[in-house]
Amino acid sequence: MKRAGQQSSVLNSDPRAPESDRYIKISGGMDLIRQLVRHVGNDWMLNVHESGHNPTSWAIAAVCGVAAQFGPGATLMLHSGMAPGYIRNAPKKMRHVIRLACALYRQIICVNDEIASAVADSSKAAILQQVTNGVHMRMAVLFRLLVGTAEAVA
């Protein structure tokens, strides 16, 4: 995003991540909330990347989704090959958390069709539309990266 001229910061919630000037290292839940409030308060759109294959992933997605309600919105990207099995086999209460988290996003981008199907099957048609939009967005981004700008295509 920075290469495209967009203002961007990465909040890294991995507790094993080393210190780096490439991202803001998050140390715990309160630090995540503090950084989310700071960024959303400055009118930043959130792009949340999560695995989707464990409770912590969905808790972070839910917290970020709630924070996004106070700013310009957010996109959720799910990218773990283990996510479909987790989503489909999660206990009922966890499936409610997953539905809530998904409902907080304008768009859900799944890196493959199996994840998209699991997310779409797990809830209502509104999430299916978000997932469908995410697939179109993913294809548009890939096209732009592979081909270039619209002027280059013409």
Side-chain angles (χ1 to χ4, degrees):
M1 291 181 74
K2 286 183 180 181
R3 281 185 260 152
Q6 298 292 318
Q7 186 176 6
S8 176
S9 289
V10 173
L11 305 180
N12 189 338
S13 62
D14 184 347
R16 300 164 303 217
E19 296 293 330
S20 173
D21 59 356
R22 297 182 66 185
Y23 52 79
I24 299 168
K25 184 172 176 13
I26 301 298
S27 348
M30 290 308 295
D31 191 29
L32 174 62
I33 291 169
R34 184 176 61 77
Q35 289 293 342
L36 288 171
V37 167
R38 182 177 138 228
H39 284 83
V40 169
N42 287 327
D43 211 30
W44 288 45
M45 181 175 176
L46 300 179
N47 292 295
V48 180
H49 293 245
E50 281 298 334
S51 66
H53 71 244
N54 60 53
T56 302
S57 172
W58 287 105
I60 291 171
V63 167
C64 292
V66 168
Q69 304 309 300
F70 299 95
T75 298
L76 174 62
M77 178 177 279
L78 299 170
H79 51 76
S80 172
M82 294 187 290
Y86 179 80
I87 293 166
R88 287 191 175 113
N89 298 314
K92 186 176 183 178
K93 287 183 181 181
M94 192 66 223
R95 287 194 310 271
H96 289 303
V97 171
I98 291 168
R99 285 186 197 112
L100 170 66
C102 289
L104 295 169
Y105 289 87
R106 291 183 179 180
Q107 184 174 48
I108 301 166
I109 300 173
C110 302
V111 299
N112 64 46
D113 293 336
E114 188 178 357
I115 297 171
S117 174
V119 171
D121 290 347
S122 73
S123 190
K124 299 176 183 169
I127 290 177
L128 178 59
Q129 184 61 42
Q130 289 169 294
V131 170
T132 302
N133 290 343
V135 171
H136 293 302
M137 177 61 78
R138 182 178 70 210
M139 299 314 292
V141 168
L142 288 173
F143 178 79
R144 176 73 78 144
L145 290 172
L146 293 172
V147 177
T149 64
E151 294 81 29
V153 176

